[in-house]
C-alpha cells in the first residue's frame, strides 16, 4: 500500500510547498515504512528513522526546500512495506533507464 502526490508545473509555475508537504504528511496514512521525494532529477529518500514523511522533511528541510524552489515536476511517495526491507534502499521514487528507439538512454523517475 502506498501514497503518491505529484505536481506537474505549467509554464514557469512553482509548486505550492505548503500544500505539497501537507499532502505528503497526509499520505502517511498510506504508509510509514519508507518515503521519498523527487524534484526533477533530484531524488531524496527516507527510511529507518526518517520513514515517516514528516520526520524525513524535518531532517532534510533545507535540502527539500531548496529543491522545491524551481519549476520542475515533483513526486512524493510514502510506502507501507508488504515485502522486502523497510530501509531506504526500498524507498521510492526509483530511477529507471530506458533505451529509446534511436538508441539513446533516457532517465525515468517512477513513484
Amino acid at each position: 500500500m502506498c501514497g503518491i502526490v505529484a505536481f506537474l508545473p505549467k509554464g514557469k509555475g512553482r509548486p505550492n510547498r505548503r500544500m505539497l508537504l501537507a499532502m505528503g504528511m497526509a499520505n502517511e496514512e498510506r504508509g510509514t515504512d519508507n518515503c521519498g521525494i523527487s524534484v526533477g532529477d533530484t531524488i531524496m529518500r527516507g527510511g529507518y528513522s526518517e520513514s515517516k514523511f514528516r520526520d524525513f522533511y524535518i531532517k532534510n528541510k533545507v535540502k527539500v526546500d531548496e529543491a522545491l524552489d524551481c519549476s520542475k515536476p515533483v513526486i512524493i511517495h510514502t510506502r507501507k512495506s508488504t515485502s522486502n526491507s523497510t530501509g531506504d534502499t526500498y524507498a521510492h521514487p526509483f530511477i529507471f533507464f530506458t533505451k529509446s528507439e534511436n538508441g539513446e538512454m533516457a532517465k525515468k523517475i517512477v513513484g
Side-chain angles (χ1 to χ4, degrees):
M1 188 162 81
C2 300
I4 297 175
V5 173
F7 168 79
L8 185 61
K10 185 175 182 179
K12 295 186 186 260
R14 295 183 184 264
N16 181 324
R17 180 180 298 131
R18 179 182 272 161
M19 185 185 318
L20 280 172
L21 298 175
M23 291 173 73
M25 290 178 203
N27 258 352
E28 289 178 356
E29 185 175 312
R30 302 284 298 167
T32 57
D33 291 325
N34 303 99
C35 66
I37 183 171
S38 69
V39 182
D41 289 342
T42 302
I43 293 182
M44 296 165 266
R45 297 183 180 120
Y48 302 114
S49 65
E50 302 171 17
S51 61
K52 286 185 177 181
F53 186 78
R54 70 188 70 230
D55 297 335
F56 166 79
Y57 177 69
I58 289 168
K59 187 166 183 181
N60 298 283
K61 183 181 186 324
V62 172
K63 188 175 178 182
V64 172
D65 286 349
E66 286 175 359
L68 287 175
D69 190 25
C70 68
S71 59
K72 296 180 180 176
V74 178
I75 299 172
I76 295 174
H77 186 278
T78 59
R79 174 177 177 257
K80 170 73 175 153
S81 178
T82 55
S83 63
N84 295 326
S85 174
T86 58
D88 58 359
T89 302
Y90 295 98
H92 300 221
F94 291 131
I95 297 177
F96 291 94
F97 291 91
T98 59
K99 195 171 185 178
S100 65
E101 290 180 22
N102 64 4
E104 293 181 11
M105 294 299 287
K107 186 184 331 186
K108 297 189 186 261
I109 297 175
V110 178

